[in-house]
């Protein structure tokens, strides 16, 4: 089966073609809006929807062209219906509906985080179930128990900011280009010296939660106080220390959750999972605790439509039910997964 994936939940316009017979991504096109939002230091929702509107059809056409297929060969369309920016989601959903309606093929609504959670399967097709899934992106930081592609239970999440959000904020205060994550990683590689001890959250309640707002505030204060007193700061040292602390918080909770749930394997996905130092740290921990860790391929860590198409295919296989009247289907800005 050939399935088209469409993803426009945030600031990237994405389309991909996935072939279920041999689990191959035939094309994955991402039109980034980084340049549109860079000067504002964050995403401007209205500008994001306008740009999606300009890009959605050329991006879908490019995905079909790269896959060397015509629209008439498509057998299903999978599309992100939430969570995300409502204006952005609606552009992708409308385009997906139009194609599915015109071609009389099924439309599969996909939760953005289900797409991320299944993204490591694109390069690890034999990944075992059940496993723990860590999603770390600009909008989310959460832990899931994944028993099958459509049996997913949330077992922990952030109480405040997402890890990527903290990376972006600290990057902005340091004057680094948007998004902060990859630029903080680059700067951190230049530091070999002493680490600044930023605080880590301590939770009184049971469970596996994250919190990044205290760390974000501590790092921001450190920078601003030194700037005011004209004390020199070393950007590389701040980036290194902040990044190490985020990674330790994520790893401690994730490996704790794996132990508590009796799981042997874990996946790590979402934009922050592209971080090379995070990947090295998790590999080391996995070796120490005799667990397996699988990462989404770097190009599938940040938002993309290949993960949405693959999730759509898995969903169709798992449920085998018809999608019904999809013209009435709506997008939803906030919708939990597996709570
Ligand atoms: O998954 P994603 O593309 O969008 C959301 O669904 O949120 O993630 C974007 C986030 C941004 O916050 C960005 O700073 C972060 O992922 N990110 C990174 C790296 N690459 C992207 N964070 C740390 N290190 C990286 N190399
Ligand atoms: Zn995402």
């Amino acid at each position: 089966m050939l399935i088209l994936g469409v993803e426009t939940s945030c600031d990237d316009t994405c389309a991909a073609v996935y072939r279920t017979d041999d689990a191959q991504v035939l094309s994955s096109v991402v039109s980034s809006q980084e340049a549109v939002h860079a000067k504002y230091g964050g995403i401007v929702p209205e500008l994001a929807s306008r740009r999606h509107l300009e890009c959605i059809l050329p991006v879908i056409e490019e995905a079909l062209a790269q896959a060397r297929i015509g629209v008439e060969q498509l057998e299903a369309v999978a599309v992100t219906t939430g969570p995300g920016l409502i204006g952005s989601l609606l552009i992708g959903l409308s385009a997906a509906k139009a194609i599915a309606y015109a071609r009389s093929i099924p439309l599969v609504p996909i939760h953005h985080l289900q797409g991320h959670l299944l993204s490591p399967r694109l390069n690890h097709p034999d990944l075992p179930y059940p496993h723990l899934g860590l999603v770390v992106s600009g909008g989310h930081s959460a832990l899931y128990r994944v028993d099958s592609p459509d049996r997913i239970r949330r077992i922990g999440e952030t109480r405040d900011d997402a890890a990527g959000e903290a990376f972006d904020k600290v990057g902005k205060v340091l004057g680094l280009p948007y998004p902060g994550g990859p630029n903080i990683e680059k700067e951190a590689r230049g530091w070999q010296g002493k680490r600044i001890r930023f605080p880590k959250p301590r939770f009184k309640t049971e469970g596996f939660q994250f919190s990044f707002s205290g760390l974000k505030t501590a790092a921001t204060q450190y920078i601003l106080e030194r700037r005011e007193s004209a004390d020199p700061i070393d950007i590389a040292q701040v980036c290194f220390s902040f990044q190490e602390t985020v990674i330790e918080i994520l790893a401690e909770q994730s490996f704790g959750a794996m132990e508590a749930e009796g799981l042997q394997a874990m996946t790590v996905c979402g934009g922050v999972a592209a971080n090379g130092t995070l990947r090295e740290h998790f590999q080391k921990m996995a070796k120490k605790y005799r667990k397996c860790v699988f990462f989404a391929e770097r190009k599938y860590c940040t938002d993309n439509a290949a993960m949405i198409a693959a999730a759509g295919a898995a969903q169709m296989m798992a449920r085998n039910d018809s999608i019904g009247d999809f013209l009435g289907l709506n997008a939803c800005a906030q919708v939990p997964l597996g709570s």
Side-chain angles (χ1 to χ4, degrees), residues 112 116 137-139 164-165 167-168 179-182 185 270-272 274-275 301-303:
H112 182 71
H116 272 303
S137 69
E165 204 178 337
F167 266 104
D168 293 341
E185 178 179 12
V272 180
N275 188 291
C301 281
T302 44
D303 288 348

Side-chain angles (χ1 to χ4, degrees), residues 283-299:
Q283 292 284 21
K284 267 190 221 147
M285 295 268 289
K287 210 168 167 195
K288 183 170 159 197
Y289 293 107
R290 295 173 186 269
K291 305 275 184 194
C292 295
V293 56
F294 301 91
F295 298 97
E297 211 177 312
R298 273 199 173 83
K299 65 179 172 200

Side-chain angles (χ1 to χ4, degrees), residues 85 184 203:
L85 300 172
I184 287 184
F203 298 108

Side-chain angles (χ1 to χ4, degrees), residues 87-98:
S88 297
L89 287 163
L90 284 170
I91 311 277
L93 177 59
S94 305
K97 274 185 188 176

Side-chain angles (χ1 to χ4, degrees), residues 4 11-12 35 41 45 56 71 82-83 107 129 145 162 177 180 187 193 198 213 231 245 255 263 273-274 298 323:
L4 173 73
D11 62 337
D12 291 317
I56 189 69
V71 70
L107 180 79
Y129 288 112
R145 183 186 166 101
E187 291 287 341
F198 290 129
S213 87
D231 238 4
T245 315
F255 282 87
L263 297 170
R298 273 199 173 83
I323 308 303

Side-chain angles (χ1 to χ4, degrees), residues 191 193-199 218 222 226 233-242 244-245:
W191 185 256
K194 212 172 136 224
R195 171 173 164 187
I196 307 158
R197 288 283 154 194
F198 290 129
Y222 178 92
R226 270 161 190 76
I233 60 162
D234 194 311
I235 291 186
Q237 184 186 24
V238 177
C239 290
F240 171 84
S241 309
F242 167 78
E244 287 293 307
T245 315

